[in-house]
Amino acid sequence: MADAGDHEFETTQSGASETIPMQCSALRKNGFVVLKGRPCKIVEMSTSKTGKHGHAKVHLVGLDIFTGKKCEDICPSTHNMQVPNVSRKEFEVIDLSEDGFFTLMAEDGDTRDDLKLTESCSPNAPDAVRELLSAVEASGERVVATVWKALGEELVKELKTGKAN
């Protein structure tokens, strides 16, 4: 038998699921769904009538929330689809490095510099972001980045200006 002090435990996350099941017929346009393993925003959906031997089918068209690519799927309306838990968090933008990584500060003062400027961000050009940061700094305001997180991925989705605290 092992001694009481020989146990080693791996750390895990809080146990919260990254997706929840939802019946296909309960999904709505502008909602979120996992299509082809990617978190997508539903932009179009249509339901076909039941056939002689089957279920009504739902045709879903979605845009990947991280890449903007179009995904499509068809599933029976009574089956469950996975809906991603999409969270949005705001950070103050401190800087944008030469290699395109943001320096962000949370409300509690913690900083992070692991998120890169991507095509999905608005604005998405490094020069435009730097101009925005310079203009806002001169006026005494601040730039706020909205970070979206789903299925273990994070992305700076948009930048906006706001009053400094």
Side-chain angles (χ1 to χ4, degrees), residues 130-148:
R130 287 191 185 93
E131 275 181 39
L132 179 66
L133 285 168
S134 302
V136 165
E137 194 175 306
S139 68
E141 291 185 323
R142 63 190 186 127
V143 177
V144 177
T146 304
V147 176
W148 286 30

Side-chain angles (χ1 to χ4, degrees), residues 6 16 21 35 51 81 96 155 164:
D6 287 350
L35 298 175
M81 295 284 290
L96 180 67
L155 173 90

Side-chain angles (χ1 to χ4, degrees), residues 10-18 149 151-153:
E10 292 182 27
T11 59
T12 60
Q13 294 182 351
S14 65
S17 176
E18 292 183 339
K149 181 178 182 177
L151 299 181
E153 267 185 81

Side-chain angles (χ1 to χ4, degrees), residues 39-94:
C40 297
K41 183 174 187 173
I42 302 168
V43 292
E44 193 179 308
M45 72 186 282
S46 58
T47 307
S48 64
K49 293 186 177 179
T50 54
K52 186 174 180 182
H53 301 291
H55 301 279
K57 300 267 193 288
V58 177
H59 178 241
L60 295 166
V61 178
L63 293 177
D64 187 315
I65 63 174
F66 295 122
T67 64
K69 290 184 180 166
K70 188 174 172 181
C71 297
E72 293 187 56
D73 201 3
I74 296 175
C75 78
S77 63
T78 56
H79 287 197
N80 282 346
M81 295 284 290
Q82 294 300 314
V83 175
N85 286 328
V86 178
S87 65
R88 295 173 188 85
K89 194 170 180 185
E90 292 190 340
F91 292 88
E92 184 174 348
V93 179
I94 310 271

